[in-house]
Amino acid sequence: MIPNERIGLFGHLPSGAPVQRICLQHGALRANLLTYGATLQDLRLEGVAHPLVLGADHLAPYLNDLEYVGAIVGRYAGRIADGQFEIEGTRHHLCQNDGARHCLHGGAHGSSHLNWTILGVAPHQARLGLTLPDGHMGFPGSLRIEACFTLTAAGALEISLSAQSTTPTPCSLAHHGYFNLDGSRSVADHSLWIDAAEYLQVDADLIPTGTVQDVAGSQIDFRTPRPIGTAPIDTTFCPSPPRDALRQVACLKSDKSHIAMRVETNQHGLHLYNGAHLSCAAGLGLERRAYAANAGLAFETQHWPDAPNHAQFPAAILRPEDTYRNHTIYRFEQI
């Protein structure tokens, strides 16, 4: 453990392993991170009474009702159909933790369910590391991951994820935080803009069919800002090019709090989930809040789900000679 006054004990896992909390502050932003899942536990903006994200004040909810909330999910964010894929003629069988059929977010013990190592802490920045061994959840290759969280003086939270593998392996990491800009029970009245004319069609199991569809005429056309509403959203949008370049892909606003959040990323996909299955009893959420459907909106910047099984999708295989990089920025401003 790195001695630092910004690091404190948050709780213990069932194994007895300690989970540490890291407190960061810079400019108008304050953030708390957990080593468990590399989780963003709390995020505050100066002068605003409520948290900007969903979370919990104790560890237990993260092990149950708040699974994935605020965590870094991987080694492959989203679903892989039937928990299998093929690389260079070899078929790999994965943990089937989604309906006992598909692999979701890297399996039952993916990066979101493991305790990361603190690599370094400064007042405005923290670096966490995790190594997933060869064969972990069925994936090939030993994968070394680093997550860097940075608060900027201009009011932004930057999350930089990188990874290297010993053998070719699917790799797609994503921050799975849920945002709520005004502390309401629902984000249905938040205004949302997404710079995406297309999205991935999925089947009844939310597995991509391979078809990329136009958002025009659909209930998920947010190219003109409008209220989110209460209809379930569990959709991968295909943001406008250029791919691999950092660009603004979304903006969330609340007229109630007069806060806006702009999302920038270098990723091919932007998966939005408005928490249709969220259920957290009163007393468990931050400030003893209860969470239900639509309590927050997750902006998961990532590769396209099930890409290893779709040759026409942007490539999502990380090779030993390459480094995976996911750079996402959440910029906050009072409007």
Side-chain angles (χ1 to χ4, degrees), residues 21-35:
R21 176 167 59 185
I22 305 165
C23 301
L24 305 179
Q25 184 168 3
H26 194 42
L29 283 180
R30 291 186 291 117
N32 292 341
L33 309 171
L34 304 181
T35 53

Side-chain angles (χ1 to χ4, degrees), residues 239 247 265-269 301-303 324-328:
R247 75 280 192 209
T265 187
N266 65 345
Q267 294 300 287
H268 298 149
T301 58
Q302 58 186 68
H303 278 304
Y324 167 89
R325 298 190 188 281
N326 178 330
H327 187 192
T328 300

Side-chain angles (χ1 to χ4, degrees), residues 13 24 44 49 73 85 93 114 137 142 163 169 187 209 226 235-236 243 252 258 268 273 283 292 295 299 301 312 315:
L13 295 172
L24 305 179
R44 305 280 176 149
V73 297
F85 64 92
H93 297 272
L114 299 173
M137 298 289 101
S142 175
T169 189
V187 295
T209 64
R226 63 177 178 84
T235 304
T236 299
R243 289 174 177 161
L252 185 68
H258 303 290
H268 298 149
Y273 177 51
F299 293 80
T301 58
Q312 75 276 26

Side-chain angles (χ1 to χ4, degrees), residues 35-55:
T35 53
Y36 180 73
T39 295
L40 178 64
Q41 180 253 336
D42 199 352
L43 183 66
R44 305 280 176 149
L45 184 63
E46 185 177 6
V48 177
H50 54 79
L52 302 179
V53 296
L54 306 190

